Amino acid sequence: MGVRVLFFGRLKDIIGKESIIFDSIEDIDSVRRNLFDSFPGMSNETFAVALNQEIVNGNKKISDGDEIAFLPPIAGG
Amino acid sequence: VNYQKKGNITIDKDHGTLNIRKILKGKYITDERICYIQIHDFLDNQDCTNGSLLTFRGIVRRDKTKYGVVKEIIYDAYVEMAEKEIQKIKQNASKNFEFDEIHIIHRIGKVSVGEVSLLVAVLSPHRREGIRAIEYVIEEIKKRVPIWKKEIFEDGSHYWVDGNV
């Protein structure tokens, strides 16, 4: 099943796609490190992280089937 | 304006179909055009206990920015989370303000200048509570609901709008 990581707004342009699947990954910090290594532009961006559609602060363990989302500052309306 | 009556819902045929069923089923995000409708026709005020009906329509503005003149906005959203966040905002509004009904719909995808991107309608017994509720809901949507906008300018270039951290 793996872990699906979603990108929104300007982050989609930086990553070049809407989502990435990790076969297995331990925690949110690992996802973050992996992205910073693969997409250096990410390290200049401001974003929040959601785990299964809830904003999380700090690091969190990830289980198979979880959904992670990287959210740039919100600008709806 | 050419109105068509469908049950208790009036649809403005000139502006396409607002999927009103999505609102009534608790869906708040749509990629369909939000039309001008006679809102009082679908809000339930049959016993006339509500003395105030407020509607807010956020419209895409032909903004002259330092990057260009806005032609359209493309709204991106984390739809599943946005639906949940709007539901929470609605529940908080119900706890804090006295109103009978509130309806919220946010459009995503490509929205041209002059078209409606956000519709909020509040039916309440008194105007003050309705005004407070509608302001609360609009501000919370802008703060909390995961939606982003990319301005497309007349020369075809674009810019992601800086949002709230």
Side-chain angles (χ1 to χ4, degrees):
Chain A
M1 194 186 275
V3 172
R4 202 153 76 106
V5 182
L6 308 173
F7 305 97
F8 293 95
R10 68 203 310 137
L11 301 182
K12 258 183 207 171
D13 289 353
I14 291 169
I15 303 293
K17 48 182 112 178
E18 295 187 357
S19 67
I20 292 177
I21 309 253
F22 287 95
D23 288 337
S24 80
I25 196 146
E26 193 185 338
D27 53 24
I28 286 174
D29 278 354
S30 307
V31 176
R32 214 187 295 252
R33 268 198 304 277
N34 195 298
L35 291 174
F36 285 2
D37 288 347
S38 307
F39 307 95
M42 278 294 279
S43 55
N44 301 322
E45 294 295 323
T46 304
F47 53 78
V49 180
L51 172 60
N52 299 327
Q53 298 154 21
E54 294 286 338
I55 298 286
V56 291
N57 295 306
N59 197 17
K60 283 271 186 316
K61 289 268 173 226
I62 297 172
S63 307
D64 197 36
D66 279 348
E67 184 176 272
I68 314 287
F70 282 76
L71 315 177
I74 283 164
Chain B
V1 180
N2 187 2
Y3 288 108
Q4 183 187 21
K5 195 89 176 162
K6 272 193 180 178
N8 65 340
I9 299 162
T10 303
I11 296 166
D12 169 359
K13 281 167 70 183
D14 293 342
H15 292 86
T17 304
L18 168 64
N19 197 337
I20 211 82
R21 283 179 199 88
K22 281 189 183 169
I23 303 180
L24 299 177
K25 277 184 185 166
K27 293 282 183 200
Y28 307 110
I29 306 292
T30 181
D31 55 7
E32 290 169 51
R33 190 166 174 164
I34 299 174
C35 66
Y36 300 95
I37 49 171
Q38 290 181 316
I39 285 165
H40 59 268
D41 276 1
F42 73 84
L43 294 173
D44 178 17
N45 194 24
Q46 284 180 358
D47 54 1
C48 298
T49 54
N50 291 296
S52 170
L53 168 62
L54 296 163
T55 64
F56 168 80
R57 296 185 187 107
I59 298 164
V60 173
R61 193 172 51 230
R62 193 185 302 280
D63 217 357
K64 288 177 184 150
T65 76
K66 58 181 172 182
Y67 305 105
V69 180
V70 173
K71 181 178 74 170
E72 60 202 23
I73 290 179
I74 296 175
Y75 285 86
D76 186 24
Y78 187 4
V79 174
E80 298 82 357
M81 185 174 165
E83 294 280 4
K84 286 183 187 174
E85 289 298 318
I86 294 177
Q87 181 64 25
K88 284 182 208 164
I89 292 169
K90 198 172 156 181
Q91 283 165 351
N92 284 344
S94 302
K95 271 185 227 153
N96 292 310
F97 308 105
E98 195 193 330
F99 58 82
D100 197 29
E101 285 187 48
I102 192 156
H103 295 286
I104 303 164
I105 190 155
H106 200 305
R107 187 172 164 194
I108 56 168
K110 190 166 83 176
V111 186
S112 297
V113 157
E115 292 181 357
V116 176
S117 56
L118 172 63
L119 171 75
V120 183
V122 179
L123 187 64
S124 57
H126 303 285
R127 74 183 182 285
R128 271 203 189 92
E129 285 291 289
I131 291 167
R132 289 173 63 199
I134 203 166
E135 182 169 31
Y136 169 82
V137 166
I138 295 163
E139 292 302 319
E140 288 296 300
I141 287 171
K142 285 181 165 281
K143 243 188 275 174
R144 285 176 45 178
V145 179
I147 296 178
W148 301 272
K149 47 190 169 198
K150 181 158 79 172
E151 292 175 332
I152 310 294
F153 304 111
E154 284 174 349
D155 67 357
S157 61
H158 66 83
Y159 180 73
W160 283 102
V161 174
D162 300 318
N164 303 306
V165 179

